[in-house]
Structures are given as C-alpha cells and as structure tokens.
Amino acid sequence: MLEIKGLCKCYNGESILDNFEMQVGKGQIFGMIGANGTGKSTVIKILAGLINPDQGRILMDGAPFLSNVNTMKRMVGYIPDNFGIYENLTVKEYMEFFSASYGLRGLKGRDRWETLLEWVGMTEHKDDFLEHLSRGMKQRICLARVLIHDPQLILVDEPVAGMDPVTRSVVKEILKKLKEEEKIIVVSSHVLTEMTDLCTHIGIMDKGQMLIQGEQSEVFRRINMSNPLHIIVLEGQDQAVALLKRDASVQSISMEGGHIAIQFDGDEQDESNLLSTLIGYGIRIQAFYREPGSLESLFMEVTKERAGES
Amino acid sequence: MIIRNPVYIKEVRASNRSHRQISVFLIFNGLLAIAGLYVLGKIIRGMNQEDVVNYSMILQLYMILVTMECSMLFLVLPGLTAGSISGEREKRTFDSMVSTLLTPLSIVWGKLLAVMATVFILLISSLPVLSLVFIFGGIRYADILISIGGMFILSFYIASAGICFSAWGNRSLVSAIVSYSFLFFVTGGTLLISRLTQILGLESDAVLVMGEQAIPWYHYFLLCNPIFTFYALLNMQVGSRDVVLSFINYQNEYQPNAVTEHWIFISLIVQTIMAVIFLWIAIQGIKNKR
C-alpha cells in the first residue's frame, strides 16, 4: 500500500502541496483529479523521485519510500505528460535504451521489450522511427517502456490527453491487466470523463490538498446523497405525495406528471424504508433512484464546498 | 564500460544520423582541405619559380593545418555539448531518463563519451588532409599523432565545461552562450590578463634586474588556456621550446621556474583537473531536484 502523509512542497514561497494525504492500495487504479495547477504533477514527480518534498512522509507497505533512491526507482514506472519520446530513435532502439537503463541487456532485455510491444500492439512498428508514429502510438510505446522493469508503482501524468479510441482501449486493457497483477497505479488528469472509465478509486485535489478520496462508487455515493431522489409513479401520485410530505427526511417535493423529484436527507437505509412504505400503500412505482452524479458535478460540488468553507 | 553505457549508445545512434553532424563533418574537413590545398599550391608555385624545396614552408603548412583544425574543433565543441543535457530538458525527455536506474554519473559520462566519439571521428577524418604535409617530408608521423592526441585531450576539457553548463541550463541556447563565453574567456581572456599590465601601461617604472623577478601570479591563468597549451605543444614539435617564456617574459625580466620549464605537462594536468571539476558540477546539476 502506498501512503502519503502530510506532504508539503513550496516553490518560491508559494505553497503547491499543503499537508497532502493519499492512500492507494494494491490492485487499485487511483485517479487524482484536479484543475491545472492544483499540484497533481508535483505529487507524481515526488513519487517518481524527480522532486524532493519539503515535508511529509511517503510509505510503501509501511516502509519509507524515498529513503533508498535505487530501490525506489526499481519500484516506479513513470510516464510524463509528454511521454518523453526520442524522436530520432526507432521503436526498437528506444526500447533497448530503456531496458539497458534498467540493467536489462541482451536476450533478457530483448525478450522483455518484445513482449511489451506485443502487449501494446506495436510489434510491427519496431523498426519505425518514433517521429513517424502517431501520438496514440507514441503513448502506447511509452506505456510499454514504463513497464520494462516490471514496476510495482505506475505513475501516469495526464494520460488521456489526445488519446485516440484505439489507444484508449489498449491503455484501459493494459491498466486492467496491471490491476489484476496487484500493481498500484496512480493516474493524474483534469479530463474528468475519461477517469470515470479508467479508475477504481478517485481523489479530488484542490489547492495542494486532497479534498475527498476513496473507491469511485463510494465517493460518488457520498456526494450523490445530496442529489435529488427521483420516483416515477404509474398509479397513486397524490397518495405518494401525501406520504412523502409526512416523511421527515423529505426536504422538498417537485412533481411533473408521474415524475416526482424530492430532496431527501436520509441515507440508503432511509431510502429503502421510503420505497417499502410507498409500495406498502399500493402505489405502483416504475422507478426509484438517486440522480446519478458525473465526475464533473462531483468535482464542482467538492470544490464549491471547499470555497464555501474558506 | 563504454559500450555498455545506454546514454552513449543512444547519443551515438541519434547524432550519427542527424543532418547537423554530417554538416559539421563536411564543413570542418572542407575548410581544412581548402586551406591545405591553397598553402600546398603556394608551396608548389614557389618551388616551380625557385627550383628549390623550401622546407620551412612545409613546416608552415603543418602549423597552419593543425592550428586551424584545433581552432575549428574548439569552436565546434560548445555547439556539440550545449544541448547535450539542456536539450533533454527542452524536448522533455529528461524526466523519463532520470527516473530510470541511470545514475547522474552514467548520464554525464555517456554524454561526454558521445561528444568525444564525435571529436575522435572528426580528428581521424581530417587525417587525409593532414597527410598533405608528408608529400615533401620533414614532418614525422609521431608529430601528427602528438598533435591529434593533444587536441583530443584538450577537447575533453572544453567538452566537460560544455556539458557542465548544459547540465545546469534549461535551454540549449543559454548553455551555448555560456559555453562560448567560457571558451572565449579561457582562450582570449587569459591572454588578455597576461598582457593587461602592458596594455594598460601599468608596468613598473623601477629599474628591473633582468631575469631576476618572480613571474607575477596573473600569468598562471594561461595554464587554463587550451589554445596556449596547444601552441606550446606545436612549438615544441618545431623546436621552439621557450615559446611560453618568450610570451610571458617578453621583456626578459622574469626568472624561469619549474612551471615554465614543464608548462605543457602542468597545463594538461590543470586542465584535466578542471575538466573533472566541471563533470562533478554537471553531476550535481542533474542531481539537483528543483
């Protein structure tokens, strides 16, 4: 498990990370979500050993993570936002360079990068120059090279920017495989819609702090509790409204035909009780659901709350 | 160790197929060949007119070619090294490279080796032009080898400085400007310092006892001057061993000492030490986590 505790980083007196906290377990794809300049890349770069934090602790399975640079680098695979591609090398030469950089030479190295090229579907391009490949292909090559030393922690900075559908599906497929291999994957992005598909866990960042984090469905659930509850009634609308008015958890009711939307203050148990009551009174219900939140609405909600607090 | 350095292999692969490298080779050898053939033509015309072989002209041809080669090499080097590390930052490949198991030492070493490989090829490729001096004899193979060896060692010094400035720079242009400024300081600047008192007319009016004054400290800056070292090396080959002293001690007021006696050897050591210091600073530049 990766744990970040009280991480602080300042540049020229300006605080980029302020008591930042994060936990990511094995087999999780953790999406760090935040607007530009919220400190996502700084966290990624600290984890990749490229920047030193001013304060705070990073633990991997309970042990200090940054204390031994070599051990740390062996554990980390880092994809920067621009991929770090050498345009004037062929795919094969690029893979050879990175495998040699991790001490994998000769047949051992070759076997490894050939397998990875196969994974990302780029085997037939191994003799092509990187400058002649599309952005999506470069992304796939970059993903292959980052896995060359079989890292435990994979850091991906803004992976979805400009990703074509084929690459997106390849990347998703590979991340899924890595998840099954119990790797820890941290992805940062400001493209929220893409993260919904990609991540199992999410954390929302603002002004250098993690505002909310957890399993995606759980985070949604927590935030969605403030969303309206929709009830589509086929028969007995008036009776349903009367029952709803009697419920203490119902804050407001709006109705349009058989579609009733209520602001409901209760938890999932209260929702279940309410549904049972309605059915118990013989009201025919076609649908009963919380309005689903999007990552955008979730992000806006959380950052709005924070703005309100400050 | 050399061929196993991934940075060196990558650099050699990338640079050998770049248009810039090919242009450097073409211009370098082209200019050298034009100069060599021009001077050789002059020698042959002189021979035809006077019916004698003027061996001092052959010596002159050798001096011109080797001096020209050395000057061009020093001018090319900051350009070759300026983008070696700052270029990685500009192309945003630096973070990917340093996040691997490559140590700052192996990165700097690989970059330096790649530049020195280019220098080596440049020197070897110039041999056909340099061999013009063998047409009439008078110059030994060993002289050519010593000159080439000297240029190679001095290039190590200039290349190390260039890599150092590149390691601390975020932009290749800035690194190139600093590298060229450094080159002009150690070549022209140290000569200027050595002659400053003469230029400014600050020489002592006191009656000097010839050959008994200690050499003032500012003349020793010339030990850092690779052109001056090479000039001394060339003059040693053609038999003018006291060239250093005659430059510093042009008024004959100074007493020769161990440094002036062994100027070439000491200056090579000084410049090698400076090169090592530059490489160490370059390593710190890569280690520096901003």
Side-chain angles (χ1 to χ4, degrees):
Chain A
M1 186 178 195
L2 173 73
E3 287 171 275
I4 301 178
K5 291 176 180 175
L7 206 63
C8 295
K9 179 74 190 175
C10 286
Y11 280 120
N12 305 322
E14 193 192 335
S15 173
I16 304 294
L17 293 178
D18 177 18
N19 203 23
F20 179 84
E21 309 267 336
M22 187 169 103
Q23 289 87 38
V24 193
K26 286 182 178 167
Q28 292 181 3
I29 304 176
F30 189 96
M32 266 200 297
I33 300 160
N36 287 331
T38 47
K40 304 182 301 291
S41 294
T42 306
V43 174
I44 295 259
K45 284 187 176 178
I46 288 173
L47 290 172
L50 299 171
I51 305 176
N52 280 333
D54 296 336
Q55 219 180 303
R57 287 196 309 153
I58 301 175
L59 305 170
M60 178 65 94
D61 296 331
F65 184 56
L66 299 176
S67 55
N68 187 326
V69 178
N70 266 0
T71 313
M72 185 207 78
K73 283 184 171 181
R74 270 180 218 282
M75 292 177 93
V76 175
Y78 166 60
I79 308 181
D81 52 354
N82 59 306
F83 327 133
I85 289 279
Y86 294 102
E87 303 275 349
N88 47 5
L89 295 183
T90 64
V91 172
K92 182 184 153 199
E93 288 167 351
Y94 181 74
M95 295 304 284
E96 275 175 354
F97 169 64
F98 279 99
S99 49
S101 299
Y102 284 105
L104 295 166
R105 296 166 201 278
L107 274 179
K108 198 179 166 192
R110 193 187 172 94
D111 280 352
R112 179 73 186 149
W113 63 253
E114 276 183 344
T115 310
L116 289 168
L117 283 186
E118 216 173 293
W119 258 36
V120 297
M122 292 296 293
T123 305
E124 68 271 31
H125 293 284
K126 69 176 179 186
D127 293 317
D128 292 351
F129 278 95
L130 284 159
E131 62 186 332
H132 299 144
L133 300 181
S134 69
R135 189 180 162 85
M137 286 173 168
K138 285 177 191 170
Q139 279 171 320
R140 282 193 262 164
I141 298 290
C142 195
L143 186 59
R145 73 104 177 129
V146 96
L147 300 174
I148 220 147
H149 59 298
D150 195 21
Q152 183 57 38
L153 170 63
I154 296 148
L155 306 167
V156 195
D157 202 0
E158 300 283 353
V160 287
M163 210 182 259
D164 60 67
V166 180
T167 306
R168 197 177 303 145
S169 113
V170 170
V171 169
K172 268 186 209 166
E173 208 49 47
I174 290 172
L175 290 184
K176 214 192 271 177
K177 265 190 207 175
L178 294 169
K179 181 179 157 295
E180 281 160 16
E181 286 179 20
E182 293 286 284
K183 306 279 186 203
I184 299 169
I185 303 157
V186 178
V187 182
S188 88
S189 184
H190 64 275
V191 187
L192 306 177
T193 45
E194 300 285 350
M195 300 292 271
T196 322
D197 278 359
L198 213 63
C199 305
T200 59
H201 291 67
I202 53 170
I204 295 181
M205 274 184 81
D206 191 37
K207 294 176 188 159
Q209 287 187 331
M210 188 66 92
L211 302 183
I212 185 166
Q213 62 180 313
E215 201 175 328
Q216 197 181 125
S217 54
E218 171 61 20
V219 172
F220 271 120
R221 197 192 60 76
R222 273 155 61 191
I223 298 296
N224 284 350
M225 293 314 281
S226 59
N227 284 356
L229 190 66
H230 295 266
I231 309 163
I232 299 174
V233 182
L234 293 178
E235 237 174 65
Q237 284 99 328
D238 294 340
Q239 198 184 359
V241 172
L243 282 170
L244 290 170
K245 279 183 181 168
R246 288 214 301 263
D247 194 310
S249 299
V250 176
Q251 305 297 312
S252 65
I253 305 171
S254 65
M255 202 172 100
E256 203 182 318
H259 186 160
I260 304 169
I262 57 169
Q263 207 63 47
F264 189 73
D265 233 7
D267 58 15
E268 281 155 332
Q269 190 57 50
D270 298 328
E271 280 177 30
S272 168
N273 292 341
L274 178 64
L275 180 61
S276 307
T277 310
L278 291 171
I279 293 168
Y281 275 88
I283 297 162
R284 289 182 64 204
I285 291 168
Q286 187 200 343
F288 186 97
Y289 61 93
R290 276 276 182 192
E291 186 175 289
S294 65
L295 211 44
E296 273 95 345
S297 63
L298 172 63
F299 179 70
M300 296 309 290
E301 188 75 31
V302 172
T303 47
K304 197 170 70 192
E305 266 175 30
R306 180 180 162 88
E309 278 168 23
S310 60
Chain B
M1 189 193 171
I2 292 174
I3 55 163
R4 285 173 70 89
N5 185 306
V7 178
Y8 166 74
I9 295 169
K10 172 187 79 72
E11 288 294 309
V12 168
R13 274 174 171 165
S15 63
N16 280 354
R17 54 173 74 115
S18 77
H19 296 298
R20 193 183 70 161
Q21 187 98 320
I22 296 164
S23 312
V24 166
F25 277 81
L26 263 175
I27 295 168
F28 185 89
N29 284 306
L31 288 176
L32 207 59
I34 290 168
L37 291 172
Y38 174 75
V39 179
L40 187 70
K42 236 174 117 178
I43 294 170
I44 293 171
R45 273 199 303 278
M47 274 168 55
N48 288 340
Q49 281 164 9
E50 294 167 21
D51 274 344
V52 284
V53 178
N54 187 349
Y55 280 101
S56 69
M57 287 293 280
I58 303 292
L59 217 55
Q60 213 180 332
L61 172 66
Y62 171 70
M63 296 280 276
I64 288 170
L65 284 180
V66 174
T67 307
M68 196 175 160
E69 181 168 11
C70 187
S71 310
M72 283 197 298
L73 192 62
F74 288 176
L75 277 176
V76 162
L77 270 170
L80 286 177
T81 52
S84 59
I85 295 169
S86 54
E88 298 261 6
R89 287 200 178 99
E90 275 176 330
K91 290 175 202 154
R92 301 172 74 190
T93 49
F94 183 79
D95 284 351
S96 302
M97 184 173 67
V98 296
S99 67
T100 66
L101 284 179
L102 289 170
T103 60
L105 172 66
S106 64
I107 293 170
V108 167
W109 184 236
K111 295 279 182 187
L112 179 71
L113 283 178
V115 173
M116 293 313 290
T118 306
V119 168
F120 183 74
I121 298 168
L122 268 175
L123 292 174
I124 297 298
S125 68
S126 70
L127 278 179
V129 180
L130 286 187
S131 59
L132 286 176
V133 298
F134 296 129
I135 290 177
F136 301 104
I139 303 291
R140 296 171 305 152
Y141 291 121
D143 293 328
I144 297 269
L145 283 178
I146 288 169
S147 298
I148 285 182
M151 279 188 262
F152 191 78
I153 294 169
L154 295 171
S155 298
F156 171 70
Y157 166 48
I158 303 292
S160 303
I163 284 172
C164 169
F165 301 131
S166 187
W168 282 91
N170 282 329
R171 291 175 58 207
S172 300
L173 180 68
V174 176
S175 306
I177 291 170
V178 178
S179 298
Y180 278 111
S181 307
F182 169 77
L183 181 69
F184 290 128
F185 172 74
V186 289
T187 53
T190 51
L191 286 175
L192 202 70
I193 290 170
S194 182
R195 282 288 162 92
L196 207 57
T197 51
Q198 189 199 3
I199 293 164
L200 298 176
L202 298 175
E203 286 156 315
S204 170
D205 291 334
V207 179
L208 299 172
V209 181
M210 289 299 175
E212 286 195 4
Q213 320 301 314
I215 296 173
W217 58 271
Y218 51 83
H219 286 297
Y220 293 110
F221 280 120
L222 285 169
L223 285 167
C224 309
N225 188 331
I227 293 273
F228 195 69
T229 306
F230 191 69
Y231 176 66
L233 183 77
L234 267 187
N235 279 280
M236 187 190 78
Q237 286 181 332
V238 297
S240 315
R241 281 175 180 275
D242 58 350
V243 62
V244 173
L245 208 56
S246 64
F247 181 83
I248 296 172
N249 199 10
Y250 56 95
Q251 285 184 317
N252 286 323
E253 75 267 44
Y254 302 133
Q255 202 171 29
N257 59 24
V259 179
T260 56
E261 288 292 315
H262 304 97
W263 186 272
I264 297 168
F265 180 68
I266 292 172
S267 66
L268 283 176
I269 288 178
V270 167
Q271 288 167 36
T272 307
I273 291 170
M274 283 181 74
V276 172
I277 293 170
F278 278 127
L279 293 176
W280 181 80
I281 298 171
I283 290 168
Q284 304 315 307
I286 292 178
K287 274 186 187 168
N288 179 34
K289 296 176 183 176
R290 288 146 212 235

